[in-house]
Amino acid sequence: MKDKIYFLRFVVLAFCLVFVACSDDDDKKQGDPIFPEVQKISCAVGETVELTFNANMNWKLSSSALWCKFVVGGELMNSCSGETGEQTVAVSIGDDATALNKSYKAEISLWMGADKKVVYEITRPSTGYEVSLLDENDNPYTEDNPATIAYKSSSFYVRANFDWQLAEWPDWIDADITSGEAGEQSTNKLYVNIQTEYTKNANEGFLTFVNEAGDKVATVPVKYEGIPEDKIEFSTDDNKWNWSFTVDGQFYSNSGVSGGGNLEPMPLNISIVAKNDKYVIVFVEDDPEWGCTRVQTEYGGTTWFNVEDDKKGNIQLHVDENVGKERSGYLMAFPVLKYDMIKDAFDDNVFYLEEGTDKPYMMRSDYDDYIVMRLTQEGQKVEGGLSVSVDGTGEQLEVFSYADTGGELTEEQLIEKYGTASVYMLYLENNRSYNLIVTPGGFTGWSLEANTMLNGVETKWDGVEVTGTWVDSAAVSIYGIGENTAGEMVVTIMDGTNGNIVSVLIISRFG
């Protein structure tokens, strides 16, 4: 009996040992995690990639980088988990911790049971320096699509992922902005101007962008197609209004430019810029009475100023001697395309007569761009006489000495009556008002005085103001001579420094 009990105990013990052994084998067979081999992949910022693996037990994935996250239910998570079986997990590549010219690596670790192993190495390649020149629709310019700079100037957008500088550009352009900042939406406007001396012909070149260290990052091609057919330029564009010429036509001056006013010898050289040198020269005389009139030299008309033209944009201006009063005119030039549009009715297109007035034909401001210059030439001056002009227009009025009018007073009688024998007559039209500038010929003093008293009697017309002036060439101003005034007005002109009478002007109406 005792032996039987021991035998039973042995059987139970053996059974337990066999059961434990079998249980250990099952645990090893089902409980040891089986990890896949590590895989290496490369993904760019903004990509989403799928990871696949087989898990023989419940699992968990974790990422070592903030820029690499799992997509779980539409959200980005730093880890995710699941149950046994075939698995597909989406990973999103973000832009956190981005530095130019630096690559990043994230490790994806798989946890099963108490074990952990890296199963994926994800590399995000380095982000280099990127810069683009864009049009207004956000399209980049390339070698096959150069940025075209318009006549005079253009603007473009610059987009870059770094603080950029424009280091080089062709000598035929000028850039107003040469640097800008980076950012997620770093968009800066770049203004580019065609240099004045390069507007005529087509050109090509490159814009070179560098980073803060001065390293060249990109070059962008640019081109210019030359001056348009409907545009024209002159070397006088900076100041075209103040050109004066001496009475002999041998010297000129321009008071409107820096350092101007000095006499320079003729001829005057002028350059014209037009597409393929296709331009037409036009002469316009500006008479104080009749206004602007085109002189058609191609049909035999003549004018007092003319040009020598090499047909390549280089002209020389010549001015004839003036044997009469002061005169004015316009030298104009048109691109052929524009001239052909207006030539058949040139005067009607370019000049106008203000309705309801007696003003002469004037130049329309629409055509200022085609004026090369406005010319004024001095008139003949008689020493010891008087020069009288209309203020504002420069119209020269004819003045007669008392003797030339057939007056009965002798020289002694003139001196007795007026204080001088230097007496002049001026006849003004009726139905016209006047503001006059009177300049004694040969007067070398600094100032003039004027009055309208003759032997104690006022000889001035009502509403008229008579004053002396202090200018380079002393003159007397007579303002407010109204229409239909009758009789004579006597103006005595004296040297303001000593009171000596210079001359007397007697003004009468006629007509």
mmCIF file with all atom_site columns, all heavy atoms in Angstrom, residues 9-32:
data_model
loop_
_atom_site.group_PDB
_atom_site.id
_atom_site.type_symbol
_atom_site.label_atom_id
_atom_site.label_alt_id
_atom_site.label_comp_id
_atom_site.label_asym_id
_atom_site.label_entity_id
_atom_site.label_seq_id
_atom_site.pdbx_PDB_ins_code
_atom_site.Cartn_x
_atom_site.Cartn_y
_atom_site.Cartn_z
_atom_site.occupancy
_atom_site.B_iso_or_equiv
_atom_site.pdbx_formal_charge
_atom_site.auth_seq_id
_atom_site.auth_comp_id
_atom_site.auth_asym_id
_atom_site.auth_atom_id
_atom_site.pdbx_PDB_model_num
ATOM 1   N N   . ARG A 1 9  ? 2.105  9.239  -6.341  1.00 0.00 ? 9  ARG A N   1
ATOM 2   C CA  . ARG A 1 9  ? 2.764  10.571 -6.215  1.00 0.00 ? 9  ARG A CA  1
ATOM 3   C C   . ARG A 1 9  ? 3.727  10.805 -7.379  1.00 0.00 ? 9  ARG A C   1
ATOM 4   O O   . ARG A 1 9  ? 3.842  11.908 -7.911  1.00 0.00 ? 9  ARG A O   1
ATOM 5   C CB  . ARG A 1 9  ? 3.493  10.655 -4.878  1.00 0.00 ? 9  ARG A CB  1
ATOM 6   C CG  . ARG A 1 9  ? 2.570  10.773 -3.690  1.00 0.00 ? 9  ARG A CG  1
ATOM 7   C CD  . ARG A 1 9  ? 3.388  10.820 -2.409  1.00 0.00 ? 9  ARG A CD  1
ATOM 8   N NE  . ARG A 1 9  ? 2.497  11.011 -1.253  1.00 0.00 ? 9  ARG A NE  1
ATOM 9   C CZ  . ARG A 1 9  ? 2.939  11.011 0.016   1.00 0.00 ? 9  ARG A CZ  1
ATOM 10  N NH1 . ARG A 1 9  ? 4.238  10.868 0.277   1.00 0.00 ? 9  ARG A NH1 1
ATOM 11  N NH2 . ARG A 1 9  ? 2.071  11.174 1.022   1.00 0.00 ? 9  ARG A NH2 1
ATOM 12  N N   . PHE A 1 10 ? 4.417  9.753  -7.779  1.00 0.00 ? 10 PHE A N   1
ATOM 13  C CA  . PHE A 1 10 ? 5.397  9.898  -8.878  1.00 0.00 ? 10 PHE A CA  1
ATOM 14  C C   . PHE A 1 10 ? 4.688  10.225 -10.173 1.00 0.00 ? 10 PHE A C   1
ATOM 15  O O   . PHE A 1 10 ? 5.113  11.085 -10.967 1.00 0.00 ? 10 PHE A O   1
ATOM 16  C CB  . PHE A 1 10 ? 6.192  8.588  -8.976  1.00 0.00 ? 10 PHE A CB  1
ATOM 17  C CG  . PHE A 1 10 ? 7.110  8.572  -10.178 1.00 0.00 ? 10 PHE A CG  1
ATOM 18  C CD1 . PHE A 1 10 ? 8.309  9.260  -10.169 1.00 0.00 ? 10 PHE A CD1 1
ATOM 19  C CD2 . PHE A 1 10 ? 6.744  7.858  -11.337 1.00 0.00 ? 10 PHE A CD2 1
ATOM 20  C CE1 . PHE A 1 10 ? 9.129  9.225  -11.277 1.00 0.00 ? 10 PHE A CE1 1
ATOM 21  C CE2 . PHE A 1 10 ? 7.571  7.841  -12.433 1.00 0.00 ? 10 PHE A CE2 1
ATOM 22  C CZ  . PHE A 1 10 ? 8.773  8.536  -12.406 1.00 0.00 ? 10 PHE A CZ  1
ATOM 23  N N   . VAL A 1 11 ? 3.519  9.516  -10.394 1.00 0.00 ? 11 VAL A N   1
ATOM 24  C CA  . VAL A 1 11 ? 2.767  9.771  -11.633 1.00 0.00 ? 11 VAL A CA  1
ATOM 25  C C   . VAL A 1 11 ? 2.275  11.217 -11.686 1.00 0.00 ? 11 VAL A C   1
ATOM 26  O O   . VAL A 1 11 ? 2.355  11.891 -12.703 1.00 0.00 ? 11 VAL A O   1
ATOM 27  C CB  . VAL A 1 11 ? 1.588  8.780  -11.731 1.00 0.00 ? 11 VAL A CB  1
ATOM 28  C CG1 . VAL A 1 11 ? 0.671  9.151  -12.897 1.00 0.00 ? 11 VAL A CG1 1
ATOM 29  C CG2 . VAL A 1 11 ? 2.101  7.360  -11.928 1.00 0.00 ? 11 VAL A CG2 1
ATOM 30  N N   . VAL A 1 12 ? 1.767  11.701 -10.547 1.00 0.00 ? 12 VAL A N   1
ATOM 31  C CA  . VAL A 1 12 ? 1.259  13.088 -10.505 1.00 0.00 ? 12 VAL A CA  1
ATOM 32  C C   . VAL A 1 12 ? 2.386  14.066 -10.769 1.00 0.00 ? 12 VAL A C   1
ATOM 33  O O   . VAL A 1 12 ? 2.246  15.046 -11.512 1.00 0.00 ? 12 VAL A O   1
ATOM 34  C CB  . VAL A 1 12 ? 0.577  13.368 -9.146  1.00 0.00 ? 12 VAL A CB  1
ATOM 35  C CG1 . VAL A 1 12 ? 0.243  14.853 -9.015  1.00 0.00 ? 12 VAL A CG1 1
ATOM 36  C CG2 . VAL A 1 12 ? -0.672 12.524 -9.006  1.00 0.00 ? 12 VAL A CG2 1
ATOM 37  N N   . LEU A 1 13 ? 3.537  13.817 -10.149 1.00 0.00 ? 13 LEU A N   1
ATOM 38  C CA  . LEU A 1 13 ? 4.685  14.711 -10.326 1.00 0.00 ? 13 LEU A CA  1
ATOM 39  C C   . LEU A 1 13 ? 5.149  14.726 -11.773 1.00 0.00 ? 13 LEU A C   1
ATOM 40  O O   . LEU A 1 13 ? 5.421  15.778 -12.366 1.00 0.00 ? 13 LEU A O   1
ATOM 41  C CB  . LEU A 1 13 ? 5.822  14.297 -9.396  1.00 0.00 ? 13 LEU A CB  1
ATOM 42  C CG  . LEU A 1 13 ? 7.117  15.122 -9.502  1.00 0.00 ? 13 LEU A CG  1
ATOM 43  C CD1 . LEU A 1 13 ? 6.824  16.599 -9.152  1.00 0.00 ? 13 LEU A CD1 1
ATOM 44  C CD2 . LEU A 1 13 ? 8.173  14.568 -8.558  1.00 0.00 ? 13 LEU A CD2 1
ATOM 45  N N   . ALA A 1 14 ? 5.207  13.524 -12.382 1.00 0.00 ? 14 ALA A N   1
ATOM 46  C CA  . ALA A 1 14 ? 5.653  13.441 -13.781 1.00 0.00 ? 14 ALA A CA  1
ATOM 47  C C   . ALA A 1 14 ? 4.684  14.175 -14.691 1.00 0.00 ? 14 ALA A C   1
ATOM 48  O O   . ALA A 1 14 ? 5.070  14.874 -15.631 1.00 0.00 ? 14 ALA A O   1
ATOM 49  C CB  . ALA A 1 14 ? 5.788  11.958 -14.179 1.00 0.00 ? 14 ALA A CB  1
ATOM 50  N N   . PHE A 1 15 ? 3.375  13.995 -14.390 1.00 0.00 ? 15 PHE A N   1
ATOM 51  C CA  . PHE A 1 15 ? 2.366  14.663 -15.196 1.00 0.00 ? 15 PHE A CA  1
ATOM 52  C C   . PHE A 1 15 ? 2.513  16.191 -15.120 1.00 0.00 ? 15 PHE A C   1
ATOM 53  O O   . PHE A 1 15 ? 2.414  16.900 -16.127 1.00 0.00 ? 15 PHE A O   1
ATOM 54  C CB  . PHE A 1 15 ? 0.970  14.232 -14.712 1.00 0.00 ? 15 PHE A CB  1
ATOM 55  C CG  . PHE A 1 15 ? -0.147 14.932 -15.447 1.00 0.00 ? 15 PHE A CG  1
ATOM 56  C CD1 . PHE A 1 15 ? -0.535 14.520 -16.724 1.00 0.00 ? 15 PHE A CD1 1
ATOM 57  C CD2 . PHE A 1 15 ? -0.802 16.007 -14.877 1.00 0.00 ? 15 PHE A CD2 1
ATOM 58  C CE1 . PHE A 1 15 ? -1.548 15.169 -17.374 1.00 0.00 ? 15 PHE A CE1 1
ATOM 59  C CE2 . PHE A 1 15 ? -1.813 16.646 -15.545 1.00 0.00 ? 15 PHE A CE2 1
ATOM 60  C CZ  . PHE A 1 15 ? -2.199 16.237 -16.807 1.00 0.00 ? 15 PHE A CZ  1
ATOM 61  N N   . CYS A 1 16 ? 2.775  16.677 -13.942 1.00 0.00 ? 16 CYS A N   1
ATOM 62  C CA  . CYS A 1 16 ? 2.960  18.137 -13.747 1.00 0.00 ? 16 CYS A CA  1
ATOM 63  C C   . CYS A 1 16 ? 4.166  18.633 -14.504 1.00 0.00 ? 16 CYS A C   1
ATOM 64  O O   . CYS A 1 16 ? 4.142  19.710 -15.111 1.00 0.00 ? 16 CYS A O   1
ATOM 65  C CB  . CYS A 1 16 ? 3.078  18.461 -12.266 1.00 0.00 ? 16 CYS A CB  1
ATOM 66  S SG  . CYS A 1 16 ? 1.528  18.227 -11.369 1.00 0.00 ? 16 CYS A SG  1
ATOM 67  N N   . LEU A 1 17 ? 5.235  17.811 -14.434 1.00 0.00 ? 17 LEU A N   1
ATOM 68  C CA  . LEU A 1 17 ? 6.451  18.250 -15.140 1.00 0.00 ? 17 LEU A CA  1
ATOM 69  C C   . LEU A 1 17 ? 6.217  18.304 -16.644 1.00 0.00 ? 17 LEU A C   1
ATOM 70  O O   . LEU A 1 17 ? 6.650  19.227 -17.329 1.00 0.00 ? 17 LEU A O   1
ATOM 71  C CB  . LEU A 1 17 ? 7.609  17.312 -14.803 1.00 0.00 ? 17 LEU A CB  1
ATOM 72  C CG  . LEU A 1 17 ? 8.133  17.386 -13.356 1.00 0.00 ? 17 LEU A CG  1
ATOM 73  C CD1 . LEU A 1 17 ? 9.170  16.289 -13.097 1.00 0.00 ? 17 LEU A CD1 1
ATOM 74  C CD2 . LEU A 1 17 ? 8.737  18.768 -13.107 1.00 0.00 ? 17 LEU A CD2 1
ATOM 75  N N   . VAL A 1 18 ? 5.521  17.264 -17.147 1.00 0.00 ? 18 VAL A N   1
ATOM 76  C CA  . VAL A 1 18 ? 5.235  17.257 -18.601 1.00 0.00 ? 18 VAL A CA  1
ATOM 77  C C   . VAL A 1 18 ? 4.351  18.431 -18.963 1.00 0.00 ? 18 VAL A C   1
ATOM 78  O O   . VAL A 1 18 ? 4.535  19.123 -19.960 1.00 0.00 ? 18 VAL A O   1
ATOM 79  C CB  . VAL A 1 18 ? 4.586  15.918 -18.981 1.00 0.00 ? 18 VAL A CB  1
ATOM 80  C CG1 . VAL A 1 18 ? 4.075  15.969 -20.431 1.00 0.00 ? 18 VAL A CG1 1
ATOM 81  C CG2 . VAL A 1 18 ? 5.573  14.784 -18.799 1.00 0.00 ? 18 VAL A CG2 1
ATOM 82  N N   . PHE A 1 19 ? 3.350  18.753 -18.141 1.00 0.00 ? 19 PHE A N   1
ATOM 83  C CA  . PHE A 1 19 ? 2.424  19.872 -18.406 1.00 0.00 ? 19 PHE A CA  1
ATOM 84  C C   . PHE A 1 19 ? 3.155  21.201 -18.418 1.00 0.00 ? 19 PHE A C   1
ATOM 85  O O   . PHE A 1 19 ? 2.939  22.032 -19.301 1.00 0.00 ? 19 PHE A O   1
ATOM 86  C CB  . PHE A 1 19 ? 1.321  19.871 -17.338 1.00 0.00 ? 19 PHE A CB  1
ATOM 87  C CG  . PHE A 1 19 ? 0.346  21.008 -17.516 1.00 0.00 ? 19 PHE A CG  1
ATOM 88  C CD1 . PHE A 1 19 ? -0.687 20.917 -18.478 1.00 0.00 ? 19 PHE A CD1 1
ATOM 89  C CD2 . PHE A 1 19 ? 0.456  22.175 -16.766 1.00 0.00 ? 19 PHE A CD2 1
ATOM 90  C CE1 . PHE A 1 19 ? -1.573 21.952 -18.623 1.00 0.00 ? 19 PHE A CE1 1
ATOM 91  C CE2 . PHE A 1 19 ? -0.438 23.192 -16.942 1.00 0.00 ? 19 PHE A CE2 1
ATOM 92  C CZ  . PHE A 1 19 ? -1.466 23.090 -17.869 1.00 0.00 ? 19 PHE A CZ  1
ATOM 93  N N   . VAL A 1 20 ? 4.052  21.361 -17.453 1.00 0.00 ? 20 VAL A N   1
ATOM 94  C CA  . VAL A 1 20 ? 4.827  22.626 -17.394 1.00 0.00 ? 20 VAL A CA  1
ATOM 95  C C   . VAL A 1 20 ? 5.712  22.756 -18.597 1.00 0.00 ? 20 VAL A C   1
ATOM 96  O O   . VAL A 1 20 ? 5.838  23.826 -19.197 1.00 0.00 ? 20 VAL A O   1
ATOM 97  C CB  . VAL A 1 20 ? 5.637  22.694 -16.084 1.00 0.00 ? 20 VAL A CB  1
ATOM 98  C CG1 . VAL A 1 20 ? 6.589  23.876 -16.135 1.00 0.00 ? 20 VAL A CG1 1
ATOM 99  C CG2 . VAL A 1 20 ? 4.701  22.807 -14.901 1.00 0.00 ? 20 VAL A CG2 1
ATOM 100 N N   . ALA A 1 21 ? 6.331  21.651 -19.004 1.00 0.00 ? 21 ALA A N   1
ATOM 101 C CA  . ALA A 1 21 ? 7.233  21.705 -20.157 1.00 0.00 ? 21 ALA A CA  1
ATOM 102 C C   . ALA A 1 21 ? 6.478  22.069 -21.413 1.00 0.00 ? 21 ALA A C   1
ATOM 103 O O   . ALA A 1 21 ? 6.917  22.867 -22.233 1.00 0.00 ? 21 ALA A O   1
ATOM 104 C CB  . ALA A 1 21 ? 7.944  20.357 -20.312 1.00 0.00 ? 21 ALA A CB  1
ATOM 105 N N   . CYS A 1 22 ? 5.312  21.435 -21.563 1.00 0.00 ? 22 CYS A N   1
ATOM 106 C CA  . CYS A 1 22 ? 4.497  21.751 -22.752 1.00 0.00 ? 22 CYS A CA  1
ATOM 107 C C   . CYS A 1 22 ? 4.051  23.216 -22.740 1.00 0.00 ? 22 CYS A C   1
ATOM 108 O O   . CYS A 1 22 ? 4.014  23.883 -23.757 1.00 0.00 ? 22 CYS A O   1
ATOM 109 C CB  . CYS A 1 22 ? 3.280  20.825 -22.792 1.00 0.00 ? 22 CYS A CB  1
ATOM 110 S SG  . CYS A 1 22 ? 3.714  19.105 -23.150 1.00 0.00 ? 22 CYS A SG  1
ATOM 111 N N   . SER A 1 23 ? 3.668  23.673 -21.549 1.00 0.00 ? 23 SER A N   1
ATOM 112 C CA  . SER A 1 23 ? 3.233  25.077 -21.438 1.00 0.00 ? 23 SER A CA  1
ATOM 113 C C   . SER A 1 23 ? 4.342  26.023 -21.800 1.00 0.00 ? 23 SER A C   1
ATOM 114 O O   . SER A 1 23 ? 4.138  27.016 -22.484 1.00 0.00 ? 23 SER A O   1
ATOM 115 C CB  . SER A 1 23 ? 2.730  25.325 -20.022 1.00 0.00 ? 23 SER A CB  1
ATOM 116 O OG  . SER A 1 23 ? 2.340  26.678 -19.881 1.00 0.00 ? 23 SER A OG  1
ATOM 117 N N   . ASP A 1 24 ? 5.586  25.732 -21.367 1.00 0.00 ? 24 ASP A N   1
ATOM 118 C CA  . ASP A 1 24 ? 6.730  26.603 -21.707 1.00 0.00 ? 24 ASP A CA  1
ATOM 119 C C   . ASP A 1 24 ? 6.964  26.622 -23.198 1.00 0.00 ? 24 ASP A C   1
ATOM 120 O O   . ASP A 1 24 ? 7.264  27.663 -23.795 1.00 0.00 ? 24 ASP A O   1
ATOM 121 C CB  . ASP A 1 24 ? 7.973  26.147 -20.972 1.00 0.00 ? 24 ASP A CB  1
ATOM 122 C CG  . ASP A 1 24 ? 7.909  26.459 -19.477 1.00 0.00 ? 24 ASP A CG  1
ATOM 123 O OD1 . ASP A 1 24 ? 7.045  27.314 -19.122 1.00 0.00 ? 24 ASP A OD1 1
ATOM 124 O OD2 . ASP A 1 24 ? 8.706  25.891 -18.714 1.00 0.00 ? 24 ASP A OD2 1
ATOM 125 N N   . ASP A 1 25 ? 6.832  25.466 -23.866 1.00 0.00 ? 25 ASP A N   1
ATOM 126 C CA  . ASP A 1 25 ? 7.056  25.423 -25.308 1.00 0.00 ? 25 ASP A CA  1
ATOM 127 C C   . ASP A 1 25 ? 6.018  26.279 -26.057 1.00 0.00 ? 25 ASP A C   1
ATOM 128 O O   . ASP A 1 25 ? 6.314  26.992 -26.995 1.00 0.00 ? 25 ASP A O   1
ATOM 129 C CB  . ASP A 1 25 ? 6.982  23.971 -25.806 1.00 0.00 ? 25 ASP A CB  1
ATOM 130 C CG  . ASP A 1 25 ? 8.211  23.160 -25.372 1.00 0.00 ? 25 ASP A CG  1
ATOM 131 O OD1 . ASP A 1 25 ? 9.206  23.820 -25.016 1.00 0.00 ? 25 ASP A OD1 1
ATOM 132 O OD2 . ASP A 1 25 ? 8.136  21.925 -25.413 1.00 0.00 ? 25 ASP A OD2 1
ATOM 133 N N   . ASP A 1 26 ? 4.738  26.178 -25.577 1.00 0.00 ? 26 ASP A N   1
ATOM 134 C CA  . ASP A 1 26 ? 3.691  26.974 -26.223 1.00 0.00 ? 26 ASP A CA  1
ATOM 135 C C   . ASP A 1 26 ? 3.956  28.474 -26.061 1.00 0.00 ? 26 ASP A C   1
ATOM 136 O O   . ASP A 1 26 ? 3.761  29.259 -26.986 1.00 0.00 ? 26 ASP A O   1
ATOM 137 C CB  . ASP A 1 26 ? 2.330  26.634 -25.620 1.00 0.00 ? 26 ASP A CB  1
ATOM 138 C CG  . ASP A 1 26 ? 1.850  25.251 -26.063 1.00 0.00 ? 26 ASP A CG  1
ATOM 139 O OD1 . ASP A 1 26 ? 2.420  24.750 -27.064 1.00 0.00 ? 26 ASP A OD1 1
ATOM 140 O OD2 . ASP A 1 26 ? 0.947  24.710 -25.412 1.00 0.00 ? 26 ASP A OD2 1
ATOM 141 N N   . ASP A 1 27 ? 4.410  28.879 -24.868 1.00 0.00 ? 27 ASP A N   1
ATOM 142 C CA  . ASP A 1 27 ? 4.699  30.306 -24.642 1.00 0.00 ? 27 ASP A CA  1
ATOM 143 C C   . ASP A 1 27 ? 5.792  30.783 -25.576 1.00 0.00 ? 27 ASP A C   1
ATOM 144 O O   . ASP A 1 27 ? 5.730  31.887 -26.119 1.00 0.00 ? 27 ASP A O   1
ATOM 145 C CB  . ASP A 1 27 ? 5.098  30.539 -23.180 1.00 0.00 ? 27 ASP A CB  1
ATOM 146 C CG  . ASP A 1 27 ? 3.876  30.503 -22.261 1.00 0.00 ? 27 ASP A CG  1
ATOM 147 O OD1 . ASP A 1 27 ? 2.739  30.554 -22.797 1.00 0.00 ? 27 ASP A OD1 1
ATOM 148 O OD2 . ASP A 1 27 ? 4.074  30.426 -21.031 1.00 0.00 ? 27 ASP A OD2 1
ATOM 149 N N   . LYS A 1 28 ? 6.816  29.918 -25.699 1.00 0.00 ? 28 LYS A N   1
ATOM 150 C CA  . LYS A 1 28 ? 7.917  30.348 -26.572 1.00 0.00 ? 28 LYS A CA  1
ATOM 151 C C   . LYS A 1 28 ? 7.448  30.441 -28.013 1.00 0.00 ? 28 LYS A C   1
ATOM 152 O O   . LYS A 1 28 ? 7.828  31.315 -28.767 1.00 0.00 ? 28 LYS A O   1
ATOM 153 C CB  . LYS A 1 28 ? 9.088  29.385 -26.461 1.00 0.00 ? 28 LYS A CB  1
ATOM 154 C CG  . LYS A 1 28 ? 9.876  29.565 -25.183 1.00 0.00 ? 28 LYS A CG  1
ATOM 155 C CD  . LYS A 1 28 ? 11.131 28.723 -25.204 1.00 0.00 ? 28 LYS A CD  1
ATOM 156 C CE  . LYS A 1 28 ? 11.973 28.944 -23.951 1.00 0.00 ? 28 LYS A CE  1
ATOM 157 N NZ  . LYS A 1 28 ? 13.195 28.131 -23.947 1.00 0.00 ? 28 LYS A NZ  1
ATOM 158 N N   . LYS A 1 29 ? 6.565  29.460 -28.375 1.00 0.00 ? 29 LYS A N   1
ATOM 159 C CA  . LYS A 1 29 ? 6.124  29.428 -29.754 1.00 0.00 ? 29 LYS A CA  1
ATOM 160 C C   . LYS A 1 29 ? 5.215  30.616 -30.067 1.00 0.00 ? 29 LYS A C   1
ATOM 161 O O   . LYS A 1 29 ? 5.261  31.212 -31.135 1.00 0.00 ? 29 LYS A O   1
ATOM 162 C CB  . LYS A 1 29 ? 5.405  28.122 -29.994 1.00 0.00 ? 29 LYS A CB  1
ATOM 163 C CG  . LYS A 1 29 ? 5.017  27.901 -31.448 1.00 0.00 ? 29 LYS A CG  1
ATOM 164 C CD  . LYS A 1 29 ? 4.455  26.516 -31.631 1.00 0.00 ? 29 LYS A CD  1
ATOM 165 C CE  . LYS A 1 29 ? 4.119  26.276 -33.091 1.00 0.00 ? 29 LYS A CE  1
ATOM 166 N NZ  . LYS A 1 29 ? 3.563  24.938 -33.321 1.00 0.00 ? 29 LYS A NZ  1
ATOM 167 N N   . GLN A 1 30 ? 4.330  31.069 -29.160 1.00 0.00 ? 30 GLN A N   1
ATOM 168 C CA  . GLN A 1 30 ? 3.368  32.117 -29.416 1.00 0.00 ? 30 GLN A CA  1
ATOM 169 C C   . GLN A 1 30 ? 3.749  33.448 -28.776 1.00 0.00 ? 30 GLN A C   1
ATOM 170 O O   . GLN A 1 30 ? 3.299  34.482 -29.209 1.00 0.00 ? 30 GLN A O   1
ATOM 171 C CB  . GLN A 1 30 ? 1.986  31.686 -28.874 1.00 0.00 ? 30 GLN A CB  1
ATOM 172 C CG  . GLN A 1 30 ? 1.439  30.456 -29.568 1.00 0.00 ? 30 GLN A CG  1
ATOM 173 C CD  . GLN A 1 30 ? 0.087  30.063 -29.022 1.00 0.00 ? 30 GLN A CD  1
ATOM 174 O OE1 . GLN A 1 30 ? -0.462 30.759 -28.166 1.00 0.00 ? 30 GLN A OE1 1
ATOM 175 N NE2 . GLN A 1 30 ? -0.447 28.937 -29.485 1.00 0.00 ? 30 GLN A NE2 1
ATOM 176 N N   . GLY A 1 31 ? 4.575  33.495 -27.765 1.00 0.00 ? 31 GLY A N   1
ATOM 177 C CA  . GLY A 1 31 ? 4.821  34.715 -27.021 1.00 0.00 ? 31 GLY A CA  1
ATOM 178 C C   . GLY A 1 31 ? 6.060  35.476 -27.414 1.00 0.00 ? 31 GLY A C   1
ATOM 179 O O   . GLY A 1 31 ? 6.204  36.630 -27.067 1.00 0.00 ? 31 GLY A O   1
ATOM 180 N N   . ASP A 1 32 ? 7.009  34.969 -28.156 1.00 0.00 ? 32 ASP A N   1
ATOM 181 C CA  . ASP A 1 32 ? 8.199  35.727 -28.553 1.00 0.00 ? 32 ASP A CA  1
ATOM 182 C C   . ASP A 1 32 ? 7.851  36.643 -29.722 1.00 0.00 ? 32 ASP A C   1
ATOM 183 O O   . ASP A 1 32 ? 7.302  36.177 -30.745 1.00 0.00 ? 32 ASP A O   1
ATOM 184 C CB  . ASP A 1 32 ? 9.313  34.789 -28.976 1.00 0.00 ? 32 ASP A CB  1
ATOM 185 C CG  . ASP A 1 32 ? 9.926  34.079 -27.773 1.00 0.00 ? 32 ASP A CG  1
ATOM 186 O OD1 . ASP A 1 32 ? 9.653  34.525 -26.655 1.00 0.00 ? 32 ASP A OD1 1
ATOM 187 O OD2 . ASP A 1 32 ? 10.651 33.097 -27.989 1.00 0.00 ? 32 ASP A OD2 1
#
